[in-house]
Amino acid sequence: MSTGKGLRGWLRSLVGRRSEPLDANRADLVVVVSSFDDAEACSTALERAAEATPAWRAEDEAVMRHHLALPAGTVDRAAELAGQDGYVVAGTDDGNVPPAAVVGGASVILQRVQILDALHCAQEKSRMASLAQRLGGTALGWDALQPQDSAG
């Protein structure tokens, strides 16, 4: 009869490989994937990013950022609602938003650290589009950052 030592060893190896969560404020973060085309599937963007340089690494955490154009008076409400899912306001957009998209409003980036895969990306993309629409704004696109060197 097996003592389960193999399973315990395997579980210990998984726990042993866990590192500190990705710090969203690291200086060496670079955009490894982005999609500002509403019709583009997350899976397509991630496949493209896996072949690009710097390459997106599916096994590593990423800082996922959603770029929203919102009416100026709704930014705090957006932050409150998105905060329930671990998002924080990371500032205003960094040049990815056409000025016409935010006339009379605000360009906002909401971000959180997560493992990025096609399913969760699509869910979050949809969630942010819904949030922006409820507040009278638009979800413009998303991107994700990872440390530039693969040591993470």
Side-chain angles (χ1 to χ4, degrees):
M1 184 177 262
S2 172
T3 63
K5 199 176 212 177
L7 178 59
R8 276 188 295 230
W10 177 75
L11 288 173
R12 262 194 303 272
S13 74
L14 287 178
V15 171
R17 285 197 309 234
R18 292 193 75 165
S19 60
E20 292 296 313
L22 179 62
D23 178 357
N25 297 312
R26 285 177 59 156
D28 63 341
L29 293 176
V30 296
V31 174
V32 293
V33 57
S34 65
S35 179
F36 288 84
D37 178 354
D38 219 21
E40 182 178 42
C42 289
S43 58
T44 302
L46 293 173
E47 286 173 16
R48 181 181 70 246
E51 302 299 321
T53 302
W56 161 67
R57 295 176 313 279
E59 67 280 358
D60 294 343
E61 287 183 319
V63 178
M64 184 162 194
R65 304 188 308 177
H66 297 275
H67 301 256
L68 309 177
L70 299 171
T74 65
V75 173
D76 289 341
R77 181 69 177 145
E80 177 186 340
L81 293 170
Q84 295 172 9
D85 291 318
Y87 285 94
V88 297
V89 175
T92 59
D93 204 277
D94 53 6
N96 289 309
V97 179
V102 292
V103 171
S107 173
V108 178
I109 300 172
L110 296 174
Q111 74 179 27
R112 76 174 182 188
V113 173
Q114 67 182 73
I115 294 290
L116 187 58
D117 61 40
L119 174 63
H120 292 101
C121 177
Q123 288 172 335
E124 295 307 309
K125 178 181 169 183
S126 176
R127 180 175 288 143
M128 289 297 158
S130 175
L131 171 68
Q133 184 178 27
R134 283 192 318 253
L135 297 174
T138 304
L140 302 165
W142 61 272
D143 58 18
L145 298 89
Q146 290 181 319
Q148 190 168 18
D149 84 70
S150 61

